[in-house]
Amino acid sequence: MEITQDLAELLGIIVGDGYVRTKKPIWLSIECASHERGFIDGNVIPLIESIFEIKSSGRYFNRNGTKNTYGICVCNRELVKTLESFGVAMNHNFIDVPKQILSNNKKIKARFLRGYIDTDGCLSFISKKGKFNYPRLNISSVSYKLTLNASNIFKELGFVGSFWKFKIGKKSKLPLYRFEIKGSYMIDKWFNEIGTKNPS
């Protein structure tokens, strides 16, 4: 299947918050926080319907006794077979940017990043000169290859940032890898050239 910009964005979303199960029962699931319902209903579902001509609907999922996530679960053999060919969301410890994205043009790479950041990115503001007005946008993952290749796409698109490895707490078994861009110039460049479809 040829990668379009819409498919590239969907693959980024799946890498960020999706899971593709290839054994029976097969499915594609994408779950976000419950307050991100607008992103699922307004962007994820229309992408799936336009690319694969498959109808789907969003719903709340019960996690730890509360309905704290919202997303979709689609059981379709052809959909799963297609996504399997891109190697997305099989094992979250070893997931990577699909090779079909890495070998593609900048527009495809940019749309992949938008989908990935919309689901797994973090935009925050830190205090500088007494005000919480210094922006940072980062990605973090246990997958070294995913974070490294995503950071390489950032750099190819003209973004300057930092890459490092760290652990959260003494009980953490696996290290995390993070790439971050910061400052108003870089964040404005992100919104102007790549943008977001996630209202939150």
Side-chain angles (χ1 to χ4, degrees):
M1 184 175 189
E2 180 183 357
I3 293 188
T4 62
Q5 291 186 44
D6 281 352
L7 178 55
E9 183 173 345
L10 180 61
L11 290 174
I13 290 169
I14 295 170
V15 167
D17 271 341
Y19 179 73
V20 180
R21 179 180 170 87
T22 58
K23 297 180 180 179
K24 293 183 179 180
I26 62 171
W27 69 67
L28 160 68
S29 66
I30 300 172
E31 290 184 47
C32 294
S34 58
H35 66 268
E36 295 179 285
R37 177 175 179 171
F39 173 65
I40 295 292
D41 290 344
N43 190 49
V44 176
I45 291 175
L47 279 175
I48 292 174
E49 290 183 353
S50 65
I51 297 168
F52 295 101
E53 298 182 352
I54 296 173
K55 294 290 184 180
S56 60
S57 59
R59 64 184 179 92
Y60 289 99
F61 293 88
N62 193 324
R63 297 288 181 257
N64 299 320
T66 59
K67 294 180 179 180
N68 56 5
T69 66
Y70 185 87
I72 60 165
C73 185
V74 182
C75 300
N76 183 284
R77 184 174 299 277
E78 290 304 314
L79 169 66
V80 169
K81 185 177 180 180
T82 299
L83 295 175
E84 185 179 11
S85 70
F86 294 107
V88 293
M90 300 304 173
N91 186 323
H92 285 277
N93 292 342
F94 301 101
I95 193 169
D96 194 5
V97 178
K99 60 181 183 296
Q100 297 94 331
I101 297 290
L102 293 173
S103 62
N104 225 301
N105 60 58
K106 289 184 179 181
K107 289 183 178 180
I108 293 294
K109 292 176 179 177
R111 285 291 292 276
F112 173 85
L113 273 189
R114 182 164 80 181
Y116 181 45
I117 297 295
D118 273 352
T119 49
D120 214 26
C122 177
L123 175 64
S124 61
F125 295 84
I126 62 173
S127 177
K128 196 168 186 179
K129 296 181 179 180
K131 297 180 180 180
F132 285 92
N133 60 358
Y134 190 71
R136 304 184 301 178
L137 180 67
N138 66 60
I139 52 174
S140 299
S141 175
V142 296
S143 171
Y144 170 78
K145 290 185 67 177
L146 170 59
T147 312
L148 179 64
N149 281 325
S151 70
N152 286 336
I153 294 176
F154 268 102
K155 294 173 183 176
E156 183 180 345
L157 297 176
F159 293 90
V160 177
S162 303
F163 182 97
W164 71 92
K165 170 184 174 182
F166 66 102
K167 278 191 174 184
I168 300 178
K170 295 180 180 180
K171 295 183 179 181
S172 177
K173 295 181 180 180
L174 294 172
L176 285 172
Y177 301 92
R178 174 171 290 176
F179 179 78
E180 179 178 270
I181 61 174
K182 57 187 178 182
S184 58
Y185 177 80
M186 283 290 111
I187 303 305
D188 285 346
K189 177 179 172 67
W190 168 265
F191 279 107
N192 291 331
E193 297 181 10
I194 298 178
T196 177
K197 286 291 187 71
N198 192 333
S200 66

